[in-house]
Structure formats: C-alpha cells, structure tokens
Amino acid sequence: MIARRHLLQLSAAMVAARGAQAQEVAADGRLVIGFSDRLSSLDPQLNNVAGDRSASLHIFDLLVENRWNRLQPGLCLPWKLRDELTWEFPLRRDVTWHDGTPFTADDVIFSYERAPNVPGSLASFAGYLRTVAGLEAPDPHTLVVRTKTPNPLLPLNLASVHIVSRRAAEGARSEDFNSGRAAIGTGPYRFVAYTQGSEVNYRASETYWGDKPGWAQISYRYMSNPAARTAALLAGDAHVIDKVSVSDIEELRKRPEIAIFPHPGLRVLLLLPSFHEGPNPNLRDKAGQVLAANPLRDVRVRRALSLAIDRAALVDRMMLGTAVAAGQVMPSHGIGYDPSIPVPDFDAAAARRLLAEAGFPEGFQLTLQTPSDAYPRQRETIQAIGQYWTRIGVRTEIESMPASVYANRVVKGEFAMPISTWGNGTGEATYALTNVLGSYDRSAGRGAINHGRYKSDVVDAALEEAMRTFDDDARVEVMRRAARAVADDVGVIPVYHYQNVWAARRGLVITPMTSDRTAAQMVTRAAS
C-alpha cells in the first residue's frame, strides 16, 4: 500500500502532465467535483442526508432558499403571513420543468404531500412539514399553506424540501429518479446519467429561470476515500473536492496550483446514548454476559462517558485544529447556541467516581459501531473515544462498517451508542430539536434521527413553544432552555463541530451556499 506522503509525491509528479489538460477542460465549461458524502438516491425527498441533498441542488429547486440564515425567494416571490395560521406564497410565472411543462402550485402541493411519506425512507423530511394542516391553490401561481399551530419558522422549514414535478414523480420510485425518468426538475442543471454509487452527470439547463448556470457540464463523482480525493485534485482528475483530509491540508497549502477554502461549519459529531429499556447485546458485564438492564439510562453513566472524552486533545491531535470542541449541538455561530453551556472538562477521575456511584465500580463492556467511510477522521476519533472509555473501566470494542450498512442498522435500534454527524442544515436549533432531540413520534414528524430515543418533556415542550413564537429573541431563549435541558440530561454527547474545508484548482473560487453542501453553484472562476 502506498503511504500518504508517497501518494502526494506521486500525484504531484502527475500534475505537470495533466494539470494543463484539467485547466483547459474547466475553461471549456466542464467541472469535475469529487465529493465525499454517500449518495443513496437522486430522489430529493427520499432521505434527508447530506449527499442526496447536495446532488439534488443541481436538478431541483426549493420554494424558499436559505443562504447562511438569510431567507430569500426561490420558486416563489416574496411571501406574506395572512394570519397566524395562514401563509400565502405567490409563485414565479416564468418557470418550466426540464420536460417543458409549466411549473404550477399543484406541483408544490404534490411535493409537500409526498415528502413525508416516501416509501423506503431512512431519514424522512416529515419534520419540516409537521405543522402543515392544509395546502391550497386558489390559482395556478398561488400557494396557500395553513398550519395546525402558529409557526413563524414555516418559510425556513420549506427551505429544506425540494419541489418535484407531479407529472414526472407521481408513483415514481427511487429507481425512476436514478434512471432519469423522474429526475425532472426546474433547477440550473439537467440530469444526463447516473452510475449508482459512483457518478452523476449533469448539463446546464438552457431554460433555467434564474441566472445562467456557470458550467456547461458537471461530473459529480463520489470519492469516499479522502486520500483518493486529494490525489484526484492533484492529478487534475477533479477540479474541486470537499471534506479535505486534515492530514493533507498543510501540504496542499504549499501547492501553487491548489487553493484551500475553509469555512466555519454547522455539522457536529454526536454520540447518542441508547435510552431503550432492557438488555442490549452491545452492553455486557465484565465477564461478557449481557446486562439485564441498560446502564446508559442512568445519567451518571452518561455523564461519566462524556467527562472521559478529552475533546481538546481530539481537536488538536486528531483533527489538527479543523474542528471546535462541543458541549452542545449548535455551534457558536448558530441560532439557539447557549453561551452558558460549557464544553465538558476532561476528568477521568470524576468519570470513574460517577460509574462507581451508578453501581459499576468495575465498569462494563460496550461495543461501539461506527461508519468506516463517513466524515474526516470519524473512525479514528471513535477509536480514540473507545480508548478513553476503556481507561475508566468501560472496555470498548469498535465495530467498523460501510456507511450504507450502518445507515440500515442504526434505524433498527440495534446499537447501544449510535453516532450522528448532524448537519444543523438550517443554522437554527429547532431543526435539531425536531429531528435529533425531540422524542420519537413518526406521526408527528418528530425525532427522525433520534436513534438513541432520548425523551424529555422539557425539550418537547420547548420545541412546540419555539415553533409558535414569532418574536425572534424570545424564540432564541426558548431554544436555549432546551439546550440546557439536554446538557443537564446528557441526552446526547457532543464531541466537536467540524470546520468545512474545500480545495480547488487555482483559478477557481468556492463560496459556500449553506451548511456543508457541495454543489457546482458554489464554484466560480476567479476574476482575472
């Protein structure tokens, strides 16, 4: 196996031969993006996961767009609140689908009725639409949305649900989108081809209603291995890569043909202790026998596990400064962040005392599952956490598996300590309150990513209050109240917030859109 430093040297040697070709291709309007997030489907409403959402941005549009916490019209024109329960969204009249049919309010109604109920979904979009009571179209270019309760965040919620064509998507399954039959959008790029698990190809839409697309053709290539992404960039096989390996950043900074684009992130690495009652095969006593009761239901055990993690060391040594230690779900620049909540101190002695108080003076055994091909250094970080826990008496074994396998198992409740790299995609805490921290209730569209099944009446009540509070300052305080309750409960164990890092061939500029999405719309040519 070629060591990373030799791989970088080998790739650098290839640049002279291939770099000129890469720049010429980019100049001709073809952009190649190497992206890291697994893509489950081109159906933009199937799974609320990062890879799918980034890919969807090329083909499909949103009614409302959220660009770094600033809402703006997408497929609609400026909207208005008729009364506390009624919103009116005038629609653009100059929009057509890629098959030439006109875009109407009926498509939006179909989309919002379809999104919460897509068969086979592992991460539903239902949470965004949970307050919608009714949808009406008084004419083809007006949408009226009625809510069950006052919801000042409705436009923000709608900024996460892509609009699909009723004509193309009615009755369609994931394979229909993947083949292109149903992948008919109103976005800046049209579907050309999809090789599942490998690459999506797009071309610019000549009928796009917005600004002219910046690239004639897009090759959107899945590259799960960070070293492979770096090698592709250096060799000229990719013009842009995302989630740059922390091990490669300093080396890439030295390369005159490469530019690095770091940006504060919204994504957090979370451990989700299981609150399920009864035994779990991943929780055993020191002799290896399955425990009759779940020790993670004891807040002293959860607090012990949190205190045993040296977050500062993980950020410094594991992430090489490309992350920020976390004590809550929201980052410091997020709406709903509570500055009164500290990052837990590393205190192994206190952790051992808490375990003893909880009835585990000798500790216990825990198997911790992790994706092997997800976010930068995630597997290595989880292995380090396992070592921290073993030192306080919780002997931890790590089971690594592909992200696709992990995603299918975690929703079944098999794991004692599920892991989430939660994206905080709206930049506002009610997003996490709805999907990660709110108690699981599928019918209410709540807790879709709450794989540990944490439940707090305080948090649920805060979510409902925040959703009906129109005063921004008052709503922030409600969200902070929920954050304090989660911290007191150790309902989840935050580890760190990621920094987003992209790299591109010199001459290209990357301007982030929202959250950690990676799309061609972010990439422009540098001013000459």
Side-chain angles (χ1 to χ4, degrees), residues 145-269:
V145 181
R146 303 189 189 280
T147 58
K148 301 171 187 175
T149 61
N151 180 7
L153 298 176
L154 180 72
L156 179 63
N157 294 334
L158 298 184
S160 289
V161 184
H162 283 282
I163 306 302
V164 297
S165 160
R166 180 188 288 274
R167 176 178 175 178
E170 193 162 32
R173 302 174 63 86
S174 180
E175 53 265 32
D176 296 313
F177 285 89
N178 294 344
S179 70
R181 188 189 71 79
I184 306 296
T186 58
Y189 295 96
R190 295 171 179 255
F191 173 93
V192 174
Y194 173 43
T195 303
Q196 194 156 358
S198 177
E199 182 175 357
V200 190
N201 288 290
Y202 311 95
R203 65 177 174 86
S205 172
E206 64 279 3
T207 61
Y208 182 54
W209 56 268
D211 293 337
K212 181 180 178 181
W215 304 98
Q217 298 178 64
I218 308 295
S219 293
Y220 198 66
R221 297 177 181 171
Y222 175 53
M223 302 177 182
S224 63
N225 185 285
R229 291 196 299 277
T230 296
L233 182 70
L234 288 172
D237 289 335
H239 302 107
V240 172
I241 62 171
D242 65 7
K243 296 181 176 61
V244 179
S245 169
V246 297
S247 301
D248 294 344
I249 290 175
E250 287 309 309
E251 179 66 25
L252 289 174
R253 288 187 191 279
K254 300 173 186 177
R255 306 279 183 179
E257 74 276 14
I258 302 298
I260 299 292
F261 298 90
H263 201 282
L266 292 168
R267 189 168 297 276
V268 61
L269 176 61

Side-chain angles (χ1 to χ4, degrees), residues 68 118 176 178 195 217 227 254 298 355 379 393 402 471 514 522:
W68 289 107
V118 180
D176 296 313
N178 294 344
T195 303
Q217 298 178 64
K254 300 173 186 177
D298 190 318
L355 285 176
R379 178 174 56 180
D471 181 272
T514 182
M522 298 166 48

Side-chain angles (χ1 to χ4, degrees), residues 269-272 368-371 378 382 406 417-421:
L269 176 61
L270 290 175
L271 305 175
L272 308 175
L368 180 57
Q369 288 80 9
T370 181
Q378 180 176 322
I382 296 305
Y406 186 92
M417 186 69 71
I419 296 166
S420 174
T421 46

Side-chain angles (χ1 to χ4, degrees), residues 63 75 89-93 95 97 102-113 135-145 163-164 166:
L63 190 69
L75 287 172
F89 296 87
L91 304 185
R92 296 184 186 274
R93 295 174 177 267
V95 179
W97 295 98
F103 159 73
T104 69
D106 181 62
D107 295 306
V108 186
I109 291 174
F110 169 75
S111 297
Y112 292 160
E113 290 176 342
L135 300 159
E136 301 172 11
D139 63 67
H141 294 97
T142 303
L143 174 73
V144 175
V145 181
I163 306 302
V164 297
R166 180 188 288 274

Side-chain angles (χ1 to χ4, degrees), residues 286-354:
K286 297 294 284 188
Q289 298 299 309
V290 175
L291 291 165
N294 178 3
L296 301 178
R297 289 175 60 84
D298 190 318
V299 67
R300 294 169 295 186
V301 173
R302 300 195 298 275
R303 186 165 290 118
L305 294 175
S306 181
L307 290 173
I309 300 171
D310 190 341
R311 292 167 172 81
L314 291 176
V315 167
D316 182 49
R317 301 170 196 168
M318 190 67 64
M319 298 300 291
L320 303 182
T322 62
V324 178
Q328 57 190 295
V329 173
M330 295 304 296
S332 59
H333 58 286
I335 300 171
Y337 169 81
D338 190 333
S340 73
I341 299 174
V343 175
D345 292 327
F346 171 55
D347 194 336
R352 284 189 287 268
R353 288 195 299 270
L354 284 166

Side-chain angles (χ1 to χ4, degrees), residues 331-489:
S332 59
H333 58 286
I335 300 171
Y337 169 81
D338 190 333
S340 73
I341 299 174
V343 175
D345 292 327
F346 171 55
D347 194 336
R352 284 189 287 268
R353 288 195 299 270
L354 284 166
L355 285 176
E357 291 175 13
F360 297 95
E362 303 300 322
F364 55 90
Q365 298 184 50
L366 183 152
T367 300
L368 180 57
Q369 288 80 9
T370 181
S372 59
D373 53 353
Y375 286 83
R377 293 287 182 93
Q378 180 176 322
R379 178 174 56 180
E380 294 85 350
T381 296
I382 296 305
Q383 290 169 339
I385 289 172
Q387 293 173 10
Y388 286 134
W389 288 351
T390 296
R391 291 171 191 166
I392 65 168
V394 179
R395 194 173 77 189
T396 304
E397 298 176 359
I398 307 298
E399 181 184 354
S400 182
M401 64 194 72
S404 57
V405 176
Y406 186 92
N408 282 288
R409 290 184 61 187
V410 73
V411 297
K412 298 175 182 177
E414 297 180 11
F415 303 151
M417 186 69 71
I419 296 166
S420 174
T421 46
W422 176 248
N424 286 309
T426 66
E428 202 260 8
T430 57
Y431 184 45
L433 288 174
T434 299
N435 291 283
V436 182
L437 304 171
S439 60
Y440 178 75
D441 186 338
R442 184 169 184 174
S443 64
R446 190 177 62 217
I449 316 296
N450 185 350
H451 298 310
R453 294 300 188 258
Y454 168 62
K455 179 175 173 56
S456 165
D457 292 340
V458 173
V459 171
D460 287 348
L463 170 60
E464 297 306 319
E465 184 176 350
M467 295 293 284
R468 60 175 181 266
T469 300
F470 281 82
D471 181 272
D472 291 342
D473 292 338
R475 187 168 62 254
V476 166
E477 184 48 46
V478 173
M479 292 186 283
R480 289 175 173 174
R481 184 198 315 154
R484 291 191 290 271
V486 174
D488 290 344
D489 291 341

